[in-house]
Each structure stands twice: as C-alpha cells, then as structure tokens.
Amino acid sequence: MTTTTLEGQRLTAPSEPPRRRPAGRRAIAPYLFLTPWLIGLLAFVVGPMIVSLYLSMTDYNFLQDPTFIGFDNYVRMFTSDPRYLASVGVTAVYVLVSVPLQLAFALGLALLLDRAIAGIAIYRAVFYLPSLIGSSVAVAVLWRTVFGADGLVNSALGLLGIESSRSWVGNPDTALMTIIALNVWTFGSPMIIFLAGLRQIPRSYYEAAEVDGAGPIRRFLNITVPLLTPIVFFNLILQTIYAFQAFVPAYIVSNGSGGPADSTLFYTLYLYQQGFTSFQMGYASAMAWVLLVVIAIVTGLNFLLSKYWVFYGDGDR
C-alpha cells in the first residue's frame, strides 16, 4: 500500500508489523550475560568463604581430615596466644599512623600539583610512580637495604654530621617506622584522586573569596577542605582497608619472621605463618574471619561518623 505526503513524496507502508521477541527470551538474555560472572563469584569467592568458615571451626593441618572443635580457635587467639595480640597491636599502630600520614602527604602534593606550570603532567606521572611499584617485592628489598646499617639513610645522616651505624630495620624501636615510611611513600594513588577532586571545585568560589579579602589559608580552610571532604572520605576508606591487609613489606623487611622482637608482626603475616608455616589452617581461617569482621566494623563506623564531617555540594551531609 502507498500513501502521498503533503510534499508529494510517495511512501510505502510496511506490509507486516515488525516482529517482537518473546518476552521470556528478553528476560533471560541479561542473565545469560551475567552467567560467567556468577559462576566465577560462586567458585572463587562464595565457595572458598564457606569452606574457610567451616575450617575456622576445625583443627586442620593439611595432612589429616579436619576435626570439628567449635569456637576453640576463636577463644584461643584472644586468651592464650600472646603473638596474636602482638600482631593486633602492630597492625593497629600501622593503620592509625600510616593512613593519616599518607593522606596528609598526598593532599599536600596534590595542592602543589594543582597548578598550571610547565611540565606539570610529567611531575604528576613521576609522583604517581611509587604507587605502581610500592607494594612490590623489589621495592621492599630495596627498602630493607636503604634502612640497613650501611644504607642510604645512615650515609645521608653522615653527610649532615650525624654518625649512625644502626640498622633501622633491625631495631625493634624503628623497624615498624620504616614500613610506615614505605606506605607513606606510596601516596600516588590517593594523590591522583585528590587532584581530581580539586579540579571539581569551581574557581569562582576562590575568586569571590579573594574579592572579600580572604587569604590563602582562609580559602583553603573555608572552601577547599569542606568541598574536598567526600574525596577525603573515599581515600580514607580505601587506604584503611589496604592498610589492614598489608603483607609484602612486612614479610620482606623481616624475612618473614615479623621481627625483630615481633615489632613488624603484621596481622596478615602472622596469619600466613599459622597457615603455611605451622600448618594450622583452621586457626588461620579463624584469624581471616576476625580480620574480615574488624574491617567491616571499621568501615561501618567510618560511614556512620561521616555524616558529622563529610559535606556534599547539595548541602546534605
């Protein structure tokens, strides 16, 4: 059938209406695309978690079948294992000290790099580089050498007239500090996120503040800090979770022992020792579940407290 429009053009109407796919086939299609992801989730995440939860209530050493012992592993770690409590203390100090220092350092560098100067892209790439290699084994080995008795740190102190022959990684009083310094040095990732946040703040706010006579410090405290709190909150959550799971630096710096005198016995390192050195996989599984619960609680508390200090652009907290 043909029709004629007002412009004189002749159009041909379709002889048959377009076919529609059956509703059932359209509903199944998204699930077919999700199937590989669901299989991976069940096989590599949910399944191992269920097995780990069961093993945490058993006495299992790889060589014999697991023996169900209830909550004995959980009771043991809090009542009769001083090394476990030491690992909790070391990890708590590491998280509480290294995360704020890293975020402060990253924010400071982001403020410096948020300027229109020549070669700024190169500077940003160079400062981001430590984040890519900071958690590698090679850098951890290098860090142990730098803070050793004959390392660069003592050489630098010698140039300043301060003679020192101590091994910073071999002294219980300073070993943890060297690992904290390594974590602070890997500030590139939060720095890039801070930079992105700074670019989202309208320049008109600063121009209006300058007209009103506000100085740099007042502009930073009254404009930059409040508008950047969502970015600070995001980085805080991310870096706190990473800090709880820190393993490679402590393992390399202490040769896997957590020494000297358990001063670098991180939680994950002690978990590894129990599972793969002492072959107490049931106990290690219980430690892993406690760590998961602690991270979930800390993250939940951060979200609850965020309403008191995180400001969003629409005026809500």
Side-chain angles (χ1 to χ4, degrees), residues 37-100:
W37 179 82
L38 288 173
I39 293 175
L41 177 68
L42 294 174
F44 301 112
V45 179
V46 178
M49 288 184 69
I50 294 174
V51 173
S52 172
L53 182 60
Y54 168 70
L55 290 179
S56 71
M57 300 180 188
T58 65
D59 182 11
Y60 180 49
N61 60 4
F62 287 116
L63 302 176
Q64 300 173 338
D65 292 336
T67 303
F68 188 78
I69 57 174
F71 292 96
D72 286 0
N73 285 328
Y74 295 94
V75 174
R76 171 189 165 191
M77 67 178 67
F78 291 108
T79 58
S80 59
D81 189 352
R83 292 199 76 203
Y84 173 81
L85 298 178
S87 71
V88 172
V90 170
T91 304
V93 172
Y94 177 75
V95 173
L96 293 174
V97 175
S98 70
V99 173

Short mmCIF file of all heavy atoms in Angstrom, two decimals, residues 37-100:
data_model
loop_
_atom_site.label_atom_id
_atom_site.label_comp_id
_atom_site.label_asym_id
_atom_site.label_seq_id
_atom_site.Cartn_x
_atom_site.Cartn_y
_atom_site.Cartn_z
N TRP A 37 30.10 -14.34 35.17
CA TRP A 37 30.46 -13.63 36.41
C TRP A 37 29.89 -14.35 37.63
O TRP A 37 30.58 -14.49 38.65
CB TRP A 37 29.92 -12.21 36.34
CG TRP A 37 30.22 -11.41 37.58
CD1 TRP A 37 31.37 -10.76 37.87
CD2 TRP A 37 29.35 -11.22 38.70
NE1 TRP A 37 31.29 -10.16 39.10
CE2 TRP A 37 30.07 -10.42 39.63
CE3 TRP A 37 28.06 -11.63 39.01
CZ2 TRP A 37 29.50 -10.04 40.84
CZ3 TRP A 37 27.50 -11.25 40.21
CH2 TRP A 37 28.22 -10.46 41.12
N LEU A 38 28.66 -14.83 37.51
CA LEU A 38 28.05 -15.53 38.65
C LEU A 38 28.81 -16.81 38.95
O LEU A 38 29.03 -17.16 40.13
CB LEU A 38 26.58 -15.84 38.34
CG LEU A 38 25.63 -14.63 38.34
CD1 LEU A 38 24.25 -15.05 37.84
CD2 LEU A 38 25.53 -14.04 39.74
N ILE A 39 29.22 -17.53 37.91
CA ILE A 39 29.99 -18.77 38.13
C ILE A 39 31.31 -18.45 38.82
O ILE A 39 31.72 -19.14 39.77
CB ILE A 39 30.23 -19.48 36.78
CG1 ILE A 39 28.90 -19.99 36.21
CG2 ILE A 39 31.21 -20.63 36.95
CD1 ILE A 39 29.00 -20.59 34.83
N GLY A 40 31.99 -17.39 38.37
CA GLY A 40 33.25 -17.01 39.00
C GLY A 40 33.05 -16.59 40.45
O GLY A 40 33.86 -16.93 41.32
N LEU A 41 31.96 -15.84 40.72
CA LEU A 41 31.68 -15.40 42.09
C LEU A 41 31.46 -16.59 43.01
O LEU A 41 32.00 -16.66 44.12
CB LEU A 41 30.44 -14.49 42.08
CG LEU A 41 29.98 -14.00 43.45
CD1 LEU A 41 31.00 -13.04 44.05
CD2 LEU A 41 28.61 -13.32 43.34
N LEU A 42 30.67 -17.57 42.54
CA LEU A 42 30.38 -18.73 43.38
C LEU A 42 31.61 -19.61 43.55
O LEU A 42 31.86 -20.14 44.65
CB LEU A 42 29.23 -19.54 42.75
CG LEU A 42 27.87 -18.83 42.71
CD1 LEU A 42 26.86 -19.67 41.94
CD2 LEU A 42 27.36 -18.56 44.12
N ALA A 43 32.39 -19.77 42.48
CA ALA A 43 33.52 -20.71 42.53
C ALA A 43 34.72 -20.15 43.26
O ALA A 43 35.42 -20.88 43.96
CB ALA A 43 33.92 -21.09 41.09
N PHE A 44 34.97 -18.83 43.11
CA PHE A 44 36.22 -18.27 43.63
C PHE A 44 36.03 -17.33 44.81
O PHE A 44 37.02 -16.88 45.39
CB PHE A 44 36.95 -17.53 42.51
CG PHE A 44 37.30 -18.40 41.34
CD1 PHE A 44 36.69 -18.23 40.11
CD2 PHE A 44 38.22 -19.43 41.49
CE1 PHE A 44 37.00 -19.04 39.04
CE2 PHE A 44 38.54 -20.26 40.42
CZ PHE A 44 37.92 -20.07 39.20
N VAL A 45 34.79 -16.98 45.17
CA VAL A 45 34.57 -16.08 46.30
C VAL A 45 33.66 -16.73 47.34
O VAL A 45 34.08 -17.00 48.48
CB VAL A 45 33.96 -14.74 45.84
CG1 VAL A 45 33.71 -13.83 47.04
CG2 VAL A 45 34.89 -14.05 44.85
N VAL A 46 32.42 -17.01 46.97
CA VAL A 46 31.46 -17.53 47.94
C VAL A 46 31.85 -18.93 48.41
O VAL A 46 31.85 -19.23 49.62
CB VAL A 46 30.04 -17.54 47.31
CG1 VAL A 46 29.05 -18.13 48.30
CG2 VAL A 46 29.63 -16.12 46.94
N GLY A 47 32.22 -19.79 47.46
CA GLY A 47 32.61 -21.16 47.84
C GLY A 47 33.79 -21.20 48.80
O GLY A 47 33.68 -21.80 49.88
N PRO A 48 34.92 -20.55 48.45
CA PRO A 48 36.04 -20.54 49.40
C PRO A 48 35.70 -19.90 50.74
O PRO A 48 36.22 -20.33 51.78
CB PRO A 48 37.10 -19.72 48.66
CG PRO A 48 36.80 -19.93 47.22
CD PRO A 48 35.30 -19.99 47.14
N MET A 49 34.83 -18.90 50.75
CA MET A 49 34.46 -18.29 52.04
C MET A 49 33.70 -19.27 52.91
O MET A 49 33.92 -19.34 54.13
CB MET A 49 33.62 -17.03 51.78
CG MET A 49 34.41 -15.86 51.23
SD MET A 49 33.41 -14.36 51.05
CE MET A 49 33.11 -13.95 52.77
N ILE A 50 32.80 -20.04 52.30
CA ILE A 50 32.05 -21.02 53.08
C ILE A 50 32.98 -22.11 53.62
O ILE A 50 32.90 -22.50 54.79
CB ILE A 50 30.93 -21.64 52.21
CG1 ILE A 50 29.90 -20.57 51.85
CG2 ILE A 50 30.27 -22.81 52.93
CD1 ILE A 50 28.84 -21.05 50.88
N VAL A 51 33.91 -22.55 52.78
CA VAL A 51 34.88 -23.57 53.24
C VAL A 51 35.75 -23.00 54.35
O VAL A 51 36.04 -23.68 55.35
CB VAL A 51 35.74 -24.04 52.04
CG1 VAL A 51 36.85 -24.95 52.52
CG2 VAL A 51 34.89 -24.75 51.00
N SER A 52 36.19 -21.75 54.18
CA SER A 52 37.03 -21.12 55.20
C SER A 52 36.28 -20.99 56.53
O SER A 52 36.87 -21.21 57.60
CB SER A 52 37.48 -19.74 54.71
OG SER A 52 38.14 -19.02 55.73
N LEU A 53 34.99 -20.63 56.46
CA LEU A 53 34.21 -20.51 57.70
C LEU A 53 34.10 -21.86 58.41
O LEU A 53 34.22 -21.93 59.64
CB LEU A 53 32.80 -19.98 57.37
CG LEU A 53 31.88 -19.76 58.55
CD1 LEU A 53 32.47 -18.74 59.52
CD2 LEU A 53 30.49 -19.30 58.07
N TYR A 54 33.95 -22.92 57.63
CA TYR A 54 33.90 -24.25 58.25
C TYR A 54 35.26 -24.62 58.86
O TYR A 54 35.34 -25.11 59.99
CB TYR A 54 33.49 -25.29 57.21
CG TYR A 54 33.70 -26.71 57.67
CD1 TYR A 54 32.90 -27.27 58.67
CD2 TYR A 54 34.72 -27.50 57.12
CE1 TYR A 54 33.11 -28.56 59.11
CE2 TYR A 54 34.93 -28.79 57.55
CZ TYR A 54 34.13 -29.33 58.55
OH TYR A 54 34.35 -30.61 59.00
N LEU A 55 36.34 -24.36 58.09
CA LEU A 55 37.68 -24.71 58.59
C LEU A 55 38.04 -23.92 59.84
O LEU A 55 38.83 -24.40 60.67
CB LEU A 55 38.73 -24.46 57.50
CG LEU A 55 38.70 -25.40 56.30
CD1 LEU A 55 39.78 -25.00 55.29
CD2 LEU A 55 38.90 -26.85 56.73
N SER A 56 37.48 -22.70 59.98
CA SER A 56 37.80 -21.91 61.16
C SER A 56 37.29 -22.55 62.45
O SER A 56 37.70 -22.17 63.54
CB SER A 56 37.21 -20.50 61.02
OG SER A 56 35.79 -20.53 61.13
N MET A 57 36.40 -23.51 62.31
CA MET A 57 35.88 -24.23 63.49
C MET A 57 36.42 -25.65 63.56
O MET A 57 35.81 -26.53 64.17
CB MET A 57 34.35 -24.26 63.44
CG MET A 57 33.71 -22.88 63.42
SD MET A 57 31.92 -22.95 63.35
CE MET A 57 31.52 -21.22 63.12
N THR A 58 37.56 -25.85 62.93
CA THR A 58 38.16 -27.19 62.93
C THR A 58 39.63 -27.11 63.28
O THR A 58 40.24 -26.04 63.28
CB THR A 58 38.04 -27.85 61.54
OG1 THR A 58 38.83 -27.10 60.59
CG2 THR A 58 36.60 -27.90 61.08
N ASP A 59 40.20 -28.29 63.58
CA ASP A 59 41.64 -28.46 63.72
C ASP A 59 42.11 -29.15 62.46
O ASP A 59 41.87 -30.34 62.25
CB ASP A 59 41.94 -29.30 64.96
CG ASP A 59 43.44 -29.46 65.18
OD1 ASP A 59 44.22 -28.75 64.51
OD2 ASP A 59 43.84 -30.30 66.01
N TYR A 60 42.80 -28.39 61.58
CA TYR A 60 43.13 -28.91 60.26
C TYR A 60 44.58 -28.56 59.93
O TYR A 60 44.98 -27.40 60.02
CB TYR A 60 42.19 -28.30 59.22
CG TYR A 60 42.45 -28.77 57.81
CD1 TYR A 60 42.58 -30.12 57.51
CD2 TYR A 60 42.55 -27.85 56.77
CE1 TYR A 60 42.82 -30.54 56.21
CE2 TYR A 60 42.77 -28.27 55.46
CZ TYR A 60 42.91 -29.61 55.20
OH TYR A 60 43.15 -30.03 53.92
N ASN A 61 45.35 -29.57 59.55
CA ASN A 61 46.77 -29.35 59.27
C ASN A 61 47.18 -29.81 57.87
O ASN A 61 48.34 -30.10 57.63
CB ASN A 61 47.63 -30.07 60.30
CG ASN A 61 47.38 -31.57 60.29
OD1 ASN A 61 46.60 -32.09 59.46
ND2 ASN A 61 48.02 -32.28 61.20
N PHE A 62 46.29 -29.91 56.96
CA PHE A 62 46.53 -30.32 55.57
C PHE A 62 46.71 -31.83 55.43
O PHE A 62 46.39 -32.40 54.38
CB PHE A 62 47.77 -29.64 54.96
CG PHE A 62 47.59 -28.20 54.64
CD1 PHE A 62 48.35 -27.25 55.30
CD2 PHE A 62 46.68 -27.76 53.70
CE1 PHE A 62 48.20 -25.90 55.02
CE2 PHE A 62 46.52 -26.43 53.41
CZ PHE A 62 47.28 -25.49 54.09
N LEU A 63 47.29 -32.49 56.43
CA LEU A 63 47.64 -33.90 56.29
C LEU A 63 46.53 -34.82 56.76
O LEU A 63 46.43 -35.97 56.32
CB LEU A 63 48.92 -34.22 57.09
CG LEU A 63 50.14 -33.38 56.70
CD1 LEU A 63 51.32 -33.71 57.61
CD2 LEU A 63 50.50 -33.63 55.24
N GLN A 64 45.71 -34.35 57.67
CA GLN A 64 44.61 -35.15 58.21
C GLN A 64 43.29 -34.46 57.95
O GLN A 64 43.24 -33.25 57.67
CB GLN A 64 44.81 -35.36 59.72
CG GLN A 64 46.11 -36.09 60.06
CD GLN A 64 46.36 -36.14 61.54
OE1 GLN A 64 45.84 -35.33 62.30
NE2 GLN A 64 47.15 -37.11 61.97
N ASP A 65 42.22 -35.23 58.04
CA ASP A 65 40.90 -34.64 57.84
C ASP A 65 40.60 -33.63 58.94
O ASP A 65 41.03 -33.79 60.09
CB ASP A 65 39.83 -35.74 57.86
CG ASP A 65 39.96 -36.66 56.65
OD1 ASP A 65 40.52 -36.22 55.63
OD2 ASP A 65 39.51 -37.83 56.75
N PRO A 66 39.86 -32.56 58.60
CA PRO A 66 39.51 -31.57 59.64
C PRO A 66 38.70 -32.18 60.78
O PRO A 66 37.83 -33.02 60.56
CB PRO A 66 38.67 -30.55 58.86
CG PRO A 66 39.00 -30.77 57.42
CD PRO A 66 39.32 -32.21 57.28
N THR A 67 39.03 -31.75 62.00
CA THR A 67 38.31 -32.20 63.19
C THR A 67 37.53 -31.03 63.77
O THR A 67 38.14 -29.99 64.10
CB THR A 67 39.29 -32.74 64.25
OG1 THR A 67 40.07 -33.80 63.67
CG2 THR A 67 38.54 -33.26 65.46
N PHE A 68 36.23 -31.16 63.86
CA PHE A 68 35.40 -30.05 64.33
C PHE A 68 35.66 -29.78 65.82
O PHE A 68 35.57 -30.70 66.64
CB PHE A 68 33.93 -30.37 64.11
CG PHE A 68 33.01 -29.21 64.39
CD1 PHE A 68 32.86 -28.19 63.47
CD2 PHE A 68 32.31 -29.13 65.59
CE1 PHE A 68 32.03 -27.11 63.72
CE2 PHE A 68 31.48 -28.06 65.85
CZ PHE A 68 31.33 -27.05 64.91
N ILE A 69 35.99 -28.52 66.15
CA ILE A 69 36.28 -28.14 67.54
C ILE A 69 35.46 -26.93 67.96
O ILE A 69 35.74 -26.32 69.00
CB ILE A 69 37.78 -27.84 67.73
CG1 ILE A 69 38.24 -26.73 66.76
CG2 ILE A 69 38.62 -29.09 67.54
CD1 ILE A 69 39.67 -26.28 66.98
N GLY A 70 34.48 -26.55 67.20
CA GLY A 70 33.63 -25.41 67.57
C GLY A 70 34.38 -24.09 67.52
O GLY A 70 35.10 -23.81 66.56
N PHE A 71 34.24 -23.28 68.57
CA PHE A 71 34.83 -21.94 68.60
C PHE A 71 36.18 -21.91 69.33
O PHE A 71 36.62 -20.85 69.76
CB PHE A 71 33.87 -20.97 69.26
CG PHE A 71 32.62 -20.70 68.45
CD1 PHE A 71 31.45 -21.41 68.70
CD2 PHE A 71 32.64 -19.76 67.41
CE1 PHE A 71 30.31 -21.17 67.94
CE2 PHE A 71 31.50 -19.53 66.66
CZ PHE A 71 30.34 -20.25 66.91
N ASP A 72 36.82 -23.07 69.48
CA ASP A 72 38.09 -23.12 70.22
C ASP A 72 39.16 -22.24 69.59
O ASP A 72 39.97 -21.63 70.30
CB ASP A 72 38.58 -24.56 70.31
CG ASP A 72 37.77 -25.38 71.28
OD1 ASP A 72 36.83 -24.82 71.88
OD2 ASP A 72 38.05 -26.59 71.45
N ASN A 73 39.21 -22.19 68.26
CA ASN A 73 40.22 -21.35 67.61
C ASN A 73 40.02 -19.88 67.96
O ASN A 73 40.99 -19.15 68.19
CB ASN A 73 40.15 -21.52 66.09
CG ASN A 73 40.75 -22.83 65.63
OD1 ASN A 73 41.71 -23.34 66.25
ND2 ASN A 73 40.19 -23.40 64.58
N TYR A 74 38.77 -19.44 68.01
CA TYR A 74 38.48 -18.03 68.33
C TYR A 74 38.81 -17.73 69.79
O TYR A 74 39.32 -16.65 70.11
CB TYR A 74 37.01 -17.72 68.03
CG TYR A 74 36.66 -17.82 66.56
CD1 TYR A 74 36.15 -19.00 66.03
CD2 TYR A 74 36.85 -16.74 65.71
CE1 TYR A 74 35.83 -19.09 64.67
CE2 TYR A 74 36.54 -16.82 64.36
CZ TYR A 74 36.02 -18.00 63.85
OH TYR A 74 35.72 -18.09 62.51
N VAL A 75 38.52 -18.70 70.67
CA VAL A 75 38.83 -18.49 72.08
C VAL A 75 40.34 -18.46 72.28
O VAL A 75 40.88 -17.64 73.03
CB VAL A 75 38.20 -19.63 72.93
CG1 VAL A 75 38.63 -19.50 74.39
CG2 VAL A 75 36.68 -19.59 72.81
N ARG A 76 41.04 -19.34 71.58
CA ARG A 76 42.49 -19.43 71.74
C ARG A 76 43.19 -18.13 71.36
O ARG A 76 44.11 -17.68 72.07
CB ARG A 76 43.02 -20.57 70.85
CG ARG A 76 44.52 -20.64 70.76
CD ARG A 76 44.92 -21.63 69.69
NE ARG A 76 46.31 -21.48 69.31
CZ ARG A 76 46.88 -22.07 68.26
NH1 ARG A 76 46.13 -22.87 67.50
NH2 ARG A 76 48.14 -21.89 67.98
N MET A 77 42.79 -17.49 70.28
CA MET A 77 43.51 -16.31 69.81
C MET A 77 43.39 -15.13 70.78
O MET A 77 44.27 -14.28 70.83
CB MET A 77 43.04 -15.91 68.40
CG MET A 77 41.62 -15.42 68.31
SD MET A 77 41.17 -14.92 66.61
CE MET A 77 41.23 -16.49 65.76
N PHE A 78 42.33 -15.09 71.57
CA PHE A 78 42.16 -13.96 72.50
C PHE A 78 42.57 -14.29 73.93
O PHE A 78 42.62 -13.40 74.76
CB PHE A 78 40.70 -13.51 72.49
CG PHE A 78 40.29 -12.85 71.20
CD1 PHE A 78 39.45 -13.51 70.31
CD2 PHE A 78 40.77 -11.60 70.86
CE1 PHE A 78 39.08 -12.91 69.11
CE2 PHE A 78 40.41 -10.99 69.65
CZ PHE A 78 39.57 -11.65 68.78
N THR A 79 42.84 -15.57 74.22
CA THR A 79 43.13 -15.94 75.61
C THR A 79 44.50 -16.58 75.82
O THR A 79 45.06 -16.44 76.91
CB THR A 79 42.06 -16.91 76.13
OG1 THR A 79 42.03 -18.08 75.29
CG2 THR A 79 40.69 -16.26 76.15
N SER A 80 45.04 -17.25 74.83
CA SER A 80 46.28 -18.00 75.07
C SER A 80 47.29 -17.86 73.94
O SER A 80 48.10 -18.76 73.74
CB SER A 80 45.95 -19.49 75.30
OG SER A 80 45.29 -20.03 74.16
N ASP A 81 47.24 -16.78 73.20
CA ASP A 81 48.19 -16.58 72.11
C ASP A 81 48.72 -15.16 72.16
O ASP A 81 48.17 -14.25 71.53
CB ASP A 81 47.52 -16.85 70.76
CG ASP A 81 48.53 -16.88 69.61
OD1 ASP A 81 49.71 -16.54 69.86
OD2 ASP A 81 48.14 -17.22 68.49
N PRO A 82 49.81 -14.93 72.90
CA PRO A 82 50.33 -13.56 73.01
C PRO A 82 50.83 -13.00 71.68
O PRO A 82 50.78 -11.79 71.46
CB PRO A 82 51.49 -13.70 74.01
CG PRO A 82 51.83 -15.16 74.02
CD PRO A 82 50.57 -15.89 73.70
N ARG A 83 51.31 -13.84 70.78
CA ARG A 83 51.78 -13.35 69.48
C ARG A 83 50.60 -12.82 68.65
O ARG A 83 50.78 -11.88 67.86
CB ARG A 83 52.51 -14.45 68.71
CG ARG A 83 53.83 -14.88 69.32
CD ARG A 83 54.68 -15.60 68.29
NE ARG A 83 55.29 -14.68 67.34
CZ ARG A 83 55.69 -15.02 66.14
NH1 ARG A 83 55.51 -16.26 65.72
NH2 ARG A 83 56.25 -14.13 65.33
N TYR A 84 49.45 -13.44 68.81
CA TYR A 84 48.28 -12.93 68.09
C TYR A 84 47.95 -11.51 68.56
O TYR A 84 47.73 -10.61 67.74
CB TYR A 84 47.08 -13.84 68.31
CG TYR A 84 45.81 -13.28 67.74
CD1 TYR A 84 45.51 -13.39 66.39
CD2 TYR A 84 44.90 -12.59 68.55
CE1 TYR A 84 44.36 -12.85 65.86
CE2 TYR A 84 43.74 -12.04 68.03
CZ TYR A 84 43.48 -12.18 66.68
OH TYR A 84 42.33 -11.63 66.16
N LEU A 85 47.95 -11.32 69.88
CA LEU A 85 47.65 -9.99 70.41
C LEU A 85 48.73 -8.99 69.99
O LEU A 85 48.43 -7.82 69.74
CB LEU A 85 47.53 -10.05 71.93
CG LEU A 85 46.40 -10.95 72.46
CD1 LEU A 85 46.40 -10.96 73.98
CD2 LEU A 85 45.05 -10.48 71.93
N ALA A 86 49.99 -9.47 69.91
CA ALA A 86 51.05 -8.58 69.44
C ALA A 86 50.82 -8.16 67.99
O ALA A 86 51.03 -7.00 67.62
CB ALA A 86 52.40 -9.28 69.57
N SER A 87 50.37 -9.09 67.17
CA SER A 87 50.10 -8.76 65.76
C SER A 87 48.94 -7.77 65.65
O SER A 87 48.95 -6.88 64.77
CB SER A 87 49.79 -10.03 64.97
OG SER A 87 48.53 -10.56 65.33
N VAL A 88 47.96 -7.89 66.52
CA VAL A 88 46.85 -6.93 66.53
C VAL A 88 47.36 -5.53 66.87
O VAL A 88 46.99 -4.53 66.22
CB VAL A 88 45.76 -7.37 67.52
CG1 VAL A 88 44.70 -6.28 67.67
CG2 VAL A 88 45.11 -8.67 67.06
N GLY A 89 48.24 -5.45 67.88
CA GLY A 89 48.79 -4.16 68.27
C GLY A 89 49.62 -3.52 67.17
O GLY A 89 49.49 -2.32 66.89
N VAL A 90 50.49 -4.32 66.53
CA VAL A 90 51.33 -3.79 65.45
C VAL A 90 50.46 -3.28 64.30
O VAL A 90 50.70 -2.19 63.75
CB VAL A 90 52.31 -4.88 64.96
CG1 VAL A 90 53.00 -4.42 63.68
CG2 VAL A 90 53.33 -5.20 66.04
N THR A 91 49.47 -4.05 63.93
CA THR A 91 48.60 -3.65 62.81
C THR A 91 47.80 -2.40 63.16
O THR A 91 47.62 -1.51 62.31
CB THR A 91 47.65 -4.80 62.44
OG1 THR A 91 48.42 -5.97 62.15
CG2 THR A 91 46.81 -4.44 61.23
N ALA A 92 47.34 -2.32 64.40
CA ALA A 92 46.57 -1.13 64.81
C ALA A 92 47.42 0.13 64.73
O ALA A 92 46.98 1.17 64.22
CB ALA A 92 46.02 -1.33 66.23
N VAL A 93 48.67 0.04 65.22
CA VAL A 93 49.57 1.20 65.15
C VAL A 93 49.84 1.57 63.69
O VAL A 93 49.84 2.76 63.32
CB VAL A 93 50.89 0.89 65.89
CG1 VAL A 93 51.92 2.00 65.64
CG2 VAL A 93 50.65 0.72 67.37
N TYR A 94 50.06 0.56 62.89
CA TYR A 94 50.34 0.81 61.46
C TYR A 94 49.17 1.53 60.79
O TYR A 94 49.38 2.51 60.05
CB TYR A 94 50.61 -0.53 60.78
CG TYR A 94 50.84 -0.44 59.30
CD1 TYR A 94 52.05 0.04 58.78
CD2 TYR A 94 49.86 -0.83 58.39
CE1 TYR A 94 52.26 0.13 57.42
CE2 TYR A 94 50.05 -0.75 57.03
CZ TYR A 94 51.26 -0.27 56.54
OH TYR A 94 51.45 -0.18 55.19
N VAL A 95 47.95 1.06 61.04
CA VAL A 95 46.78 1.68 60.41
C VAL A 95 46.58 3.10 60.92
O VAL A 95 46.36 4.04 60.13
CB VAL A 95 45.52 0.82 60.66
CG1 VAL A 95 44.27 1.54 60.16
CG2 VAL A 95 45.65 -0.54 59.98
N LEU A 96 46.67 3.28 62.23
CA LEU A 96 46.37 4.59 62.82
C LEU A 96 47.42 5.65 62.48
O LEU A 96 47.10 6.84 62.46
CB LEU A 96 46.26 4.46 64.35
CG LEU A 96 45.06 3.65 64.86
CD1 LEU A 96 45.13 3.47 66.37
CD2 LEU A 96 43.76 4.34 64.47
N VAL A 97 48.66 5.22 62.23
CA VAL A 97 49.72 6.19 61.94
C VAL A 97 49.92 6.38 60.45
O VAL A 97 50.00 7.51 59.95
CB VAL A 97 51.05 5.75 62.60
CG1 VAL A 97 52.18 6.70 62.21
CG2 VAL A 97 50.90 5.71 64.11
N SER A 98 49.99 5.28 59.72
CA SER A 98 50.38 5.40 58.31
C SER A 98 49.27 5.99 57.44
O SER A 98 49.56 6.77 56.52
CB SER A 98 50.78 4.03 57.76
OG SER A 98 49.66 3.17 57.63
N VAL A 99 48.02 5.65 57.70
CA VAL A 99 46.93 6.14 56.84
C VAL A 99 46.78 7.66 56.92
O VAL A 99 46.76 8.35 55.88
CB VAL A 99 45.60 5.42 57.17
CG1 VAL A 99 44.44 6.05 56.40
CG2 VAL A 99 45.72 3.94 56.81
N PRO A 100 46.69 8.28 58.13
CA PRO A 100 46.60 9.75 58.15
C PRO A 100 47.82 10.43 57.56
O PRO A 100 47.69 11.44 56.85
CB PRO A 100 46.47 10.06 59.66
CG PRO A 100 45.93 8.82 60.26
CD PRO A 100 46.51 7.69 59.48
#
